[in-house]
Amino acid sequence: MAQPEGLSKLQHLPQDAWLAREAAHQQRVRTYSDPYLARRSAGQKHPVEDFLFTYYTQKPGQLLRWHPGAGVVLSGPAAAERSGWKYYRVPDAGELAAAGLAPGTDAVTVDVERFLGERRDAVQFAGIILAGTAARPAQFGCFGLHEWAMVYRQDKFELRHEYLKLRLGSEQTDRVVEDNRIRCSHFDAFRFYTPDAVPLNTLKPSRENQRTMEQPGCLHANMDLYKWAYKLAPALPSELVMDCFELSWRIRAMDMQASPYELSEWGYPPIRIETPDGKAEYVEHQRAFADASQELRRRLLQELTPLLEAAAVAAPPLPAAQEGRP
């Protein structure tokens, strides 16, 4: 079964080389996953460092699995163990020869044809979001007020955030929301606003306009690079997935520092966005994250291009009515 055109040139990784990459990846993941799993076993929570494992659907065990990405042949006895993994298959004789391997060599490669057959919509939608966001100018005027809007008049709506205290108290937190212009462009942040905060947002993000609304200054759009990356596993290399994960980790930390919560005792001193100096500090971080995210979008789109080309040959582009979170 040949690879789709555009992915027909197969790179070969011998067992020693890919096992080293696998070990390095797993060590990198465990830096984040082991403390989370220890907290979970102890019944403890962390408001910042649990987030990527609880909000997103990728679990630590899934993240630990290293994948080389599409267009790579892994050889050696250890590779044969992957033949039963989802979206993996044994290369045919022609592919083995193209990779410089003898017939009958233990080897596996990502089954791109099957992957696209089952995940075509996800590939196309990720391409739309990533390319569209990359092409728009970054906006830097939100100051992290989305987190404040999520607790606006929380006493009225009987919202409780268990173990977190509001740094300014409820009344002053509400005043910050009322005294600032709120301009959130990301639906998956906007949808958590309290009902009274919804009409205060000057934009109206929705699932339907997501493809035209997201922009590279948005912290949540940049955190979601991790989501798009892991949803396309195993067709993307795990090193790229972890680069997206680590950017999201850093963004989450800053986002919560700028939030209304008192997190100093957790090791996260506040960025006081209710002050001019705090706003300036927030924008400085936001600009740096925007630059980093654009580089990751470029890399993601580079990896996606042959998959998108293969998907376009097999089926028409994803229609607007099918948008969502594949």
Side-chain angles (χ1 to χ4, degrees):
M1 184 183 298
Q3 295 275 15
E5 187 176 355
L7 292 166
S8 56
K9 294 182 179 179
L10 295 176
Q11 175 192 0
H12 169 227
L13 286 179
Q15 181 166 291
D16 288 350
W18 70 260
L19 284 179
R21 284 177 59 179
E22 180 182 58
H25 168 75
Q26 291 176 345
Q27 183 177 8
R28 188 178 179 188
V29 172
R30 288 194 172 103
T31 300
Y32 304 94
S33 64
D34 283 1
Y36 164 70
L37 292 172
R39 286 191 299 271
R40 192 175 70 175
S41 295
Q44 300 171 347
K45 297 180 180 180
H46 195 293
V48 180
E49 297 173 10
D50 289 351
F51 182 76
L52 295 189
F53 296 113
T54 55
Y55 176 75
Y56 293 111
T57 59
Q58 179 89 328
K59 301 307 178 188
Q62 296 170 305
L63 189 58
L64 274 169
R65 276 196 168 186
W66 174 81
H67 303 288
V72 179
V73 173
L74 305 180
S75 67
E81 299 173 8
R82 293 180 173 231
S83 61
W85 288 19
K86 189 173 184 180
Y87 299 129
Y88 276 82
R89 63 174 175 81
V90 175
D92 61 30
E95 290 170 325
L96 288 174
L101 298 170
T105 300
D106 288 331
V108 292
T109 191
V110 172
D111 188 343
V112 176
E113 184 173 351
R114 181 185 170 198
F115 178 80
L116 288 176
E118 297 181 13
R119 302 291 293 151
R120 179 175 292 108
D121 286 357
V123 171
Q124 291 179 330
F125 188 64
I128 290 168
I129 290 292
L130 292 169
T133 304
R136 293 184 195 103
Q139 304 295 319
F140 301 109
C142 70
F143 306 120
L145 285 162
H146 53 272
E147 290 288 343
W148 298 68
M150 293 177 193
V151 295
Y152 180 59
R153 296 182 179 174
Q154 68 168 4
D155 292 338
K156 173 182 176 180
F157 299 104
E158 298 184 349
L159 298 178
R160 295 293 179 266
H161 291 269
E162 300 179 23
Y163 54 99
L164 298 182
K165 298 181 295 184
L166 294 177
R167 179 166 55 83
L168 302 179
S170 293
E171 185 175 341
Q172 289 193 42
T173 297
D174 291 348
R175 188 170 301 135
V176 170
V177 174
E178 293 162 356
D179 289 348
N180 285 274
R181 181 170 177 256
I182 306 180
R183 186 180 173 83
C184 179
S185 59
H186 196 271
F187 176 67
D188 285 311
F190 178 68
R191 68 191 177 99
F192 290 108
Y193 279 26
T194 64
D196 282 3
V198 168
L200 301 180
N201 204 63
T202 58
L203 302 176
K204 302 300 178 187
S206 66
R207 189 65 71 207
E208 289 69 31
N209 65 22
Q210 181 180 5
R211 68 165 67 190
T212 60
M213 185 74 74
E214 292 196 6
Q215 48 84 18
C218 172
L219 296 190
H220 282 260
N222 295 338
M223 288 179 67
D224 278 352
L225 291 176
Y226 169 57
K227 175 182 71 176
W228 302 120
Y230 78 70
K231 282 183 176 292
L232 300 179
L236 299 186
S238 290
E239 289 87 352
L240 178 53
V241 176
M242 276 306 294
D243 287 346
C244 293
F245 177 98
E246 289 181 339
L247 176 65
S248 295
W249 183 278
R250 297 194 299 272
I251 292 173
R252 171 64 176 178
M254 195 278 277
D255 194 29
M256 291 302 285
Q257 285 180 271
S259 77
Y261 302 116
E262 177 53 74
L263 297 172
S264 295
E265 63 186 31
W266 298 89
Y268 293 90
I271 296 174
R272 303 180 186 277
I273 59 92
E274 70 275 15
T275 69
D277 286 347
K279 284 182 170 67
E281 182 181 357
Y282 183 91
V283 171
E284 181 180 0
H285 288 296
Q286 192 178 22
R287 288 183 180 277
F289 288 137
D291 290 342
S293 75
Q294 288 290 64
E295 172 59 19
L296 283 176
R297 280 190 187 88
R298 183 194 64 78
R299 291 172 57 196
L300 285 165
L301 286 166
Q302 184 177 36
E303 293 286 342
L304 273 177
T305 295
L307 295 169
L308 289 166
E309 290 173 349
V313 170
L318 177 66
Q322 293 184 20
E323 289 184 13
R325 302 181 70 191

